[in-house]
Amino acid sequence: MKFSELGLSSDLLQALDYMGFEKATPVQEQAIPAILSNQDLLACAQTGTGKTAAFILPILNKLVGKEDSKINTLIIVPTRELALQIDKEIQGLSYFVSVGSMAIYGGGDGAGFNEQKAALVEGRDIIVATPGKLLSHLNLGYVNFDHVQHLILDEADKMLDMGFHDDLHKIISYLPKKRQNLLFSATMAPKMHALARKILHSPKEIRLSISKPAAGIAQGVYFVFDEQKDKVLVHSLEERKEYTSIILFTSSKDKVYQITRMLHTKGFKAKGISSNLDQEEREEVLRKFRSKRIPILVATDVLSRGIDIKDINLVINYDVPMDAEDYVHRIGRTARANTKGEAITLVNPKDMRRFKSIENLIEKEVPVLKVPEEFGETPKYEVGKSKPKRKFHRKPKGKPKKSN
Ligand code: AMP
């Protein structure tokens, strides 16, 4: 569907044109009219579906012509990276509309805090905030939320996973009772429904198939022993020397730096990112990766949700993610909005069962990639072998034979 059919103002259509968005994605098609007609919304949509623009566009449309700077819309998100990314998308889409926004997040210095405080005191049309930092500002008493008309919780499932349940409710207690509420989540676990019941009023529900990776992703799996992982990784990277943007996910911070060091010794340009780095350092690494000065980013799961980096050629799961849904999120970094990409997973015998649950979730057998013979024997993909049933010796039917 064309954006012009969705009732958006010409200024927004022009910005969409500049950004090269030609057609609305399915979540945009469904969410935009509902938000424009002031309905509450419960949307189950993963990152990569265009969900951010799905809520920003109609909000911007409502803000066209607003003259004061009172805080009109509050967007709450789990991480500072997502806050910054959404703020950037607001700036892009509102290029021809005069709208002010501010990202409020922790981890910065005193100057950053004062700048955030000033924005909250003066007012901005849209505030995008992480829960903890927003509460610290709210507790200091200078934030006026009396004019908030829209509350958006993005990646609400992730916020609950991170333990923000109580903080969210505290923040909501500062908002006017009459407002429009939009809840976006990648998954719909029971606790999400509980939150939805508390916050939303007769919401329109949108469910996109959350467990299906985008169709443009070529997935592959190597079954390997742990000691073969590095070799297979180097082999895969050497086969794809022309790729400019590769993310590798691993299970722990320690491994991030081990793998990064190993890649350096093999002559690859790679950088690690994890919560070990402070805010500035993380942003610096992300900036260099975005601008393709570093082609390989090695990360823990912190990055797998929400962060939008365009044109990823390849996602490598050095370890199988703990949660099958996280696999979909991780590989969702590639093939965004109808482009093509690749995802390779390295699976050791211990992780085979978990990998099977991923295949069950995505309802697809991931094609097996061949490990070069010189790397030695590889494990067989075997899962779910139940214990052999005990055999009962049945008595033979009929009369027992008489023994002599
Ligand atoms: P999101 O799911 O919000 O993280 O968006 C994924 C990416 O798709 C972002 O880079 C958006 O800028 C981009 N995008 C969103 N909507 C569209 C669209 N209708 N056409 C092309 N790209 C889009």
Side-chain angles (χ1 to χ4, degrees):
M1 189 186 270
K2 285 195 195 139
F3 282 105
S4 54
E5 294 168 61
L6 289 169
L8 296 169
S9 83
S10 58
D11 291 336
L12 291 173
L13 294 178
Q14 205 180 343
L16 286 165
D17 200 31
Y18 271 82
M19 286 178 79
F21 291 14
E22 284 167 12
K23 281 194 324 212
T25 64
V27 67
Q28 291 163 357
E29 257 182 58
Q30 294 184 55
I32 292 172
I35 300 174
L36 286 175
S37 67
N38 299 323
Q39 261 187 293
D40 277 8
L41 191 72
L42 175 59
C44 197
Q46 67 197 76
T47 189
T49 53
K51 66 182 172 64
T52 316
F55 61 78
I56 289 176
L57 285 166
I59 295 293
L60 290 176
N61 204 76
K62 293 180 185 206
L63 293 174
V64 172
K66 175 176 180 285
E67 284 177 357
D68 61 52
S69 64
K70 288 174 182 149
I71 300 171
N72 171 280
T73 295
L74 174 62
I75 304 174
I76 310 181
V77 300
T79 61
R80 50 196 170 199
E81 281 84 2
L82 187 56
L84 286 166
Q85 185 183 300
I86 292 180
D87 192 36
K88 220 169 123 203
E89 189 140 349
I90 294 173
Q91 284 166 24
L93 291 170
S94 66
Y95 197 73
F96 300 102
V97 186
S98 122
V99 163
S101 65
M102 182 76 186
I104 305 285
Y105 53 87
D109 52 14
F113 188 89
N114 287 336
E115 201 187 328
Q116 294 178 9
K117 177 179 170 183
L120 288 167
V121 172
E122 288 161 16
R124 291 283 188 280
D125 301 305
I126 305 177
I127 295 292
V128 192
T130 55
K133 190 46 69 177
L134 181 59
L135 258 187
S136 339
H137 286 288
L138 280 167
N139 288 335
L140 292 169
Y142 43 73
V143 184
N144 183 349
F145 275 164
D146 290 353
H147 302 277
V148 170
Q149 293 181 9
H150 313 104
L151 168 69
I152 300 159
L153 303 184
D154 191 18
E155 308 225 339
D157 52 341
K158 178 91 173 172
M159 290 201 272
L160 294 183
D161 288 349
M162 290 168 79
F164 284 136
H165 177 273
D166 294 351
D167 285 0
L168 288 177
H169 284 285
K170 261 186 234 149
I171 293 169
I172 291 170
S173 73
Y174 284 87
L175 300 176
K177 292 241 161 359
K178 194 174 167 325
R179 52 169 205 267
Q180 187 178 13
N181 302 288
L182 315 174
L183 201 153
F184 285 78
S185 174
T187 54
M188 274 301 152
K191 56 185 174 184
M192 273 305 306
H193 282 287
L195 181 72
R197 267 197 305 278
K198 273 197 197 148
I199 298 180
L200 306 176
H201 303 287
S202 330
K204 175 182 166 71
E205 290 195 29
I206 298 177
R207 275 169 190 273
L208 298 180
S209 51
I210 57 156
S211 320
K212 308 287 173 291
I217 307 176
Q219 301 172 67
V221 55
Y222 282 111
F223 293 108
V224 288
F225 293 109
D226 276 334
E227 57 276 17
Q228 294 171 317
K229 280 191 175 182
D230 283 354
K231 283 190 197 155
V232 169
L233 168 62
V234 169
H235 164 77
S236 310
L237 293 175
E238 275 171 350
E239 279 190 331
R240 296 168 178 80
K241 279 240 158 91
E242 72 284 11
Y243 286 11
T244 51
S245 210
I246 298 170
I247 298 188
L248 185 150
F249 287 111
T250 185
S251 54
S252 72
K253 291 183 216 170
D254 291 345
K255 276 190 172 177
V256 166
Y257 297 102
Q258 277 167 23
I259 295 168
T260 312
R261 273 196 301 274
M262 185 278 293
L263 289 175
H264 289 167
T265 63
K266 301 285 177 194
F268 291 100
K269 257 177 116 179
K271 272 266 182 216
I273 189 170
S274 76
S275 50
N276 277 359
L277 301 182
D278 68 25
Q279 165 78 14
E280 268 298 300
E281 294 167 325
R282 279 160 73 167
E283 276 173 29
E284 175 68 12
V285 174
L286 284 178
R287 250 195 315 276
K288 286 191 174 155
F289 182 66
R290 279 201 176 95
S291 63
K292 308 215 168 23
R293 273 179 287 161
I294 301 169
I296 306 173
L297 185 70
V298 183
T300 52
D301 257 336
V302 181
L303 264 199
S304 75
R305 290 197 182 193
I307 301 310
D308 178 37
I309 299 176
K310 286 200 170 55
D311 307 327
I312 302 279
N313 306 120
L314 170 66
V315 169
I316 298 178
N317 294 306
Y318 189 88
D319 305 295
V320 178
M322 290 303 281
D323 188 354
E325 290 267 350
D326 277 338
Y327 174 83
V328 181
H329 292 295
R330 281 187 185 186
I331 75 169
R333 322 270 81 237
T334 175
R336 309 203 103 190
N338 304 331
T339 58
K340 289 217 179 305
E342 253 186 283
I344 294 177
T345 305
L346 309 184
V347 181
N348 66 14
K350 197 166 86 347
D351 287 344
M352 285 179 183
R353 187 176 291 274
R354 246 192 276 144
F355 189 71
K356 186 75 209 163
S357 61
I358 290 172
E359 290 189 321
N360 291 341
L361 178 80
I362 62 175
E363 295 177 345
K364 184 180 156 137
E365 279 183 15
V366 177
V368 180
L369 303 170
K370 202 169 153 20
V371 175
E373 268 171 23
E374 62 271 26
F375 295 173
E377 281 280 303
T378 52
K380 262 214 181 106
Y381 186 30
E382 281 179 333
V383 271
K385 267 198 170 172
S386 50
K387 284 186 196 156
K389 284 200 182 116
R390 253 171 84 190
K391 283 189 184 136
F392 292 99
H393 293 286
R394 273 204 247 145
K395 280 184 188 161
K397 281 184 183 164
K399 282 186 182 171
K401 274 184 192 159
K402 276 186 189 166
S403 55
N404 290 326

